[in-house]
Amino acid sequence: MEEKKCALVVIIGRPSAGKSTFLNDACQENVSIVSPIPQTTRNAIRGIVNTSLGQLVFVDTPGYHKSEKKLNLILQQTAKDQLDGADAVLYLLDATREGGEEELLISELVRPYAAKTIVAANKCDLPEADILACKNFVAKALPEIPSERFYSISAKTDAGVEDLLRALYAIAPAQPNLYPEGFYTDQEVEFRIAEVIRGEAINRLEQEIPHAIYVEIADAEFKNDGKKLWVRAFLCVERESQKGIVIGKGASMIKTIRMESLKKLSEIFEYKIDLDLQVKVDKNWRQKDDRLSRLLK
């Protein structure tokens, strides 16, 4: 009997290329926040796919782009750090955008791992998608990657994803699973709750505010013999003026974020979540090394 495959697969690409959408589609679960706002993913998020062929453990990385801001430099390093330990790399391109300086930076980052890299042009379902331009860019920027390792997909509609997964299994080593077959992520409960809250917040807020938010889980305690988890969480912003916007008129915004978060959490956890959600100011947190190191570890 053929030995099953297992691979740690790092997903890398520009902001908004669809990495998180792909991860959720591949896992058939909401593992990573999906938002039209660039730089939504701040941590290396793991999602696990189990099939008859074996196990693929995907690592969703922050979108890689050129920036000298402290937070973005840390996000860049987070993406880089994941590559060394990977069994395979999935380089995801946005087929609706032209390859530019950022795409060239990513191709340079990927080049040392070309022998174990699969390339996918995402968003092929959109009318503005230019798959040929993506293919030509890869042929020129990464000639080490053969054309048969280039795929066209839509993570949103699931088109081409099965073929892409088979290609990743084909280059995956034969080795034992990294996780039990029932797992689809290894996120800790508090981190998962914080990400759900942050996702509901950033998809309802505008301009700079989504980037100025993080979620702090202050307390979490099981009650009723483990049937209910009581959580106190804070949506943290950088300025007092942002606090009022997040709370909303008559506390309408924070109430909506809380209720929608609870709906999502009820789909994830078997036990009931009781959420006490408040807003507080952590002035200029994106410039604080200790805060960044804790949030982006």
Side-chain angles (χ1 to χ4, degrees):
M1 188 171 69
E2 187 178 352
E3 191 174 358
K4 285 189 177 182
K5 304 286 195 75
C6 180
L8 185 68
V9 184
V10 172
I11 311 170
I12 195 159
R14 281 199 288 180
S16 301
K19 299 181 296 300
S20 298
T21 302
F22 169 81
L23 181 69
N24 292 344
D25 179 58
C27 296
Q28 295 295 293
E29 297 284 353
N30 290 319
V31 176
S32 192
I33 297 174
V34 173
S35 170
I37 297 166
Q39 297 298 105
T40 295
T41 302
R42 292 176 178 171
N43 304 80
I45 305 291
R46 291 194 178 198
I48 304 158
V49 175
N50 293 288
T51 73
S52 60
L53 297 174
Q55 184 176 89
L56 297 174
V57 180
F58 288 100
V59 183
D60 182 17
T61 62
Y64 195 90
H65 78 130
K66 190 175 181 181
S67 172
E68 296 303 315
K69 291 182 179 179
K70 183 175 288 191
L71 174 59
N72 290 328
L73 288 172
I74 294 174
L75 296 182
Q76 289 171 20
Q77 194 60 48
T78 298
K80 288 180 183 178
D81 289 346
Q82 302 306 310
L83 289 168
D84 279 343
D87 297 306
V89 177
L90 173 57
Y91 176 18
L92 210 60
L93 294 94
D94 182 344
T96 67
R97 289 190 287 172
E98 292 183 9
E101 185 181 5
E102 284 185 344
E103 210 70 81
L104 287 170
L105 285 172
I106 297 172
S107 65
E108 287 299 316
L109 200 62
V110 168
R111 178 167 286 110
Y113 311 94
K116 54 183 179 182
T117 296
I118 301 287
V119 181
N122 189 29
K123 307 184 185 180
C124 71
D125 57 307
L126 298 180
E128 62 268 34
D130 192 338
I131 303 301
L132 182 59
C134 290
K135 199 165 189 176
N136 289 338
F137 171 83
V138 174
K140 185 176 181 180
L142 289 166
E144 303 91 341
I145 299 178
S147 59
E148 57 266 25
R149 280 202 260 131
F150 178 93
Y151 289 79
S152 171
I153 70 164
S154 168
K156 186 175 182 179
T157 67
D158 199 43
V161 171
E162 185 176 346
D163 288 339
L164 176 58
L165 293 177
R166 287 185 177 277
L168 288 165
Y169 275 118
I171 65 171
Q175 60 182 352
N177 286 353
L178 293 171
Y179 294 92
E181 287 193 8
F183 280 44
Y184 62 86
T185 185
D186 65 351
Q187 297 171 24
E188 294 181 358
V189 170
E190 290 188 15
F191 176 81
R192 196 113 196 256
I193 292 171
E195 284 291 272
V196 167
I197 296 168
R198 188 168 68 90
E200 292 304 315
I202 65 177
N203 282 312
R204 286 173 171 77
L205 298 165
E206 298 178 349
Q207 299 176 356
E208 174 63 13
I209 292 179
H211 295 287
I213 282 176
Y214 75 87
V215 176
E216 175 189 321
I217 304 297
D219 295 289
E221 180 184 353
F222 275 104
K223 298 184 176 183
N224 297 348
D225 296 324
K227 294 179 182 177
K228 181 170 72 173
L229 180 64
W230 175 81
V231 177
R232 176 182 288 125
F234 291 96
L235 266 168
C236 302
V237 293
E238 286 190 310
R239 298 192 297 275
E240 197 67 38
S241 59
Q242 296 168 340
K243 182 177 178 180
I245 295 170
V246 176
I247 293 173
K249 187 176 181 180
S252 58
M253 179 61 75
I254 192 64
K255 286 179 181 176
T256 298
I257 293 169
R258 177 182 176 274
M259 292 306 299
E260 294 304 314
S261 296
L262 285 171
K263 287 180 186 177
K264 282 274 180 69
L265 293 169
S266 70
E267 297 170 2
I268 295 170
F269 298 107
E270 295 179 352
Y271 42 82
K272 179 180 173 64
I273 306 288
D274 185 3
L275 179 61
D276 175 8
L277 183 60
Q278 301 174 40
V279 184
K280 73 176 184 180
V281 177
D282 184 357
K283 190 174 179 182
N284 297 326
W285 66 265
R286 284 182 288 180
Q287 301 303 317
K288 297 176 180 177
D289 291 337
D290 62 333
R291 188 76 73 252
L292 292 173
S293 62
R294 179 169 61 82
L295 291 171
L296 307 177
K297 61 184 178 181

